[in-house]
Amino acid sequence: MQASNSSSEDQKFLVRRLQISDKSKGFIELLRQLTVCDSVSDNDFEDRFHEISSLGAYHVICVIEDESSGKIIATGSVFIENKFLRNCGKVGHIEDVVVDSNARGMQLGKKVIAFLTDHARSMGCYKVILDCSLENRAFYEKCGFKQKEIQMVKYFV
């Protein structure tokens, strides 16, 4: 009985690519749980969605929708950088990973990270990198990441 329950949970929380209709399912509100995210008009959302979609497999945003509520409860993105290093290799950059505060502890973050890292691997990346806060370090270590060096930032606004 436990195994069938687990697989129904897996079915209930499938990771998929962002769809244009996800704006109305709370996608922007979810991003606000991560950082500053002003309101985005429907036109601006559509324009940015099409811009990102035009990059194909080089910029992927994934989401998990809670089928029972119709809300987006987890998201993350990966973009692929073409390098000259390592025989013109590629690096995956994971960004904007967030799980709704009411859905944490359900392994959804791990599902998002697995989806994004699998995508980077399938694109031929030799590594995938991300920045995180100190309090999220343990989570990413459980996902197979290790700390390397430090992050620096310079904001323009």
Side-chain angles (χ1 to χ4, degrees):
M1 197 66 154
Q2 185 76 3
S4 99
N5 198 8
S6 173
S7 78
S8 73
E9 282 297 307
D10 288 345
Q11 288 299 107
K12 187 178 176 189
F13 297 116
L14 289 175
V15 184
R16 63 167 171 80
R17 286 180 77 153
L18 180 72
Q19 299 169 358
I20 203 152
S21 59
D22 290 334
K23 181 179 188 286
S24 65
K25 296 177 180 179
F27 177 71
I28 299 298
E29 291 78 7
L30 178 62
L31 289 177
R32 285 191 186 121
Q33 292 184 37
L34 180 66
T35 189
V36 176
C37 185
D38 297 326
S39 62
V40 177
S41 73
D42 289 346
N43 284 342
D44 286 347
F45 184 86
E46 252 182 74
D47 289 348
R48 182 53 45 99
F49 178 87
H50 290 303
E51 181 182 1
I52 291 170
S53 295
S54 73
L55 301 172
Y58 278 80
H59 191 160
V60 169
I61 299 173
C62 71
V63 297
I64 296 177
E65 179 179 351
D66 181 352
E67 298 290 329
S68 60
S69 69
K71 292 290 183 192
I72 301 301
I73 57 170
T75 187
S77 67
V78 63
F79 69 90
I80 311 301
E81 176 189 9
N82 291 321
K83 309 282 277 184
F84 285 105
L85 300 170
R86 302 228 183 180
N87 284 332
C88 294
K90 297 176 184 176
V91 173
H93 295 263
I94 292 179
E95 291 280 338
D96 305 335
V97 175
V98 62
V99 174
D100 185 275
S101 59
N102 296 318
R104 293 187 186 147
M106 299 167 62
Q107 308 296 305
L108 302 181
K110 284 185 180 179
K111 285 184 176 219
V112 167
I113 293 298
F115 181 93
L116 298 173
T117 54
D118 288 349
H119 179 73
R121 183 181 294 112
S122 76
M123 290 291 292
C125 293
Y126 68 89
K127 72 177 179 180
V128 64
I129 58 178
L130 58 81
D131 295 321
C132 71
S133 62
L134 285 174
E135 53 266 17
N136 289 333
R137 178 179 167 186
F139 165 74
Y140 288 108
E141 287 175 340
K142 288 179 190 169
C143 293
F145 288 78
K146 63 181 183 178
Q147 184 176 350
K148 185 173 191 250
E149 301 167 355
I150 60 170
Q151 175 205 43
M152 304 293 288
V153 66
K154 184 174 188 175
Y155 286 98
F156 297 114
V157 271

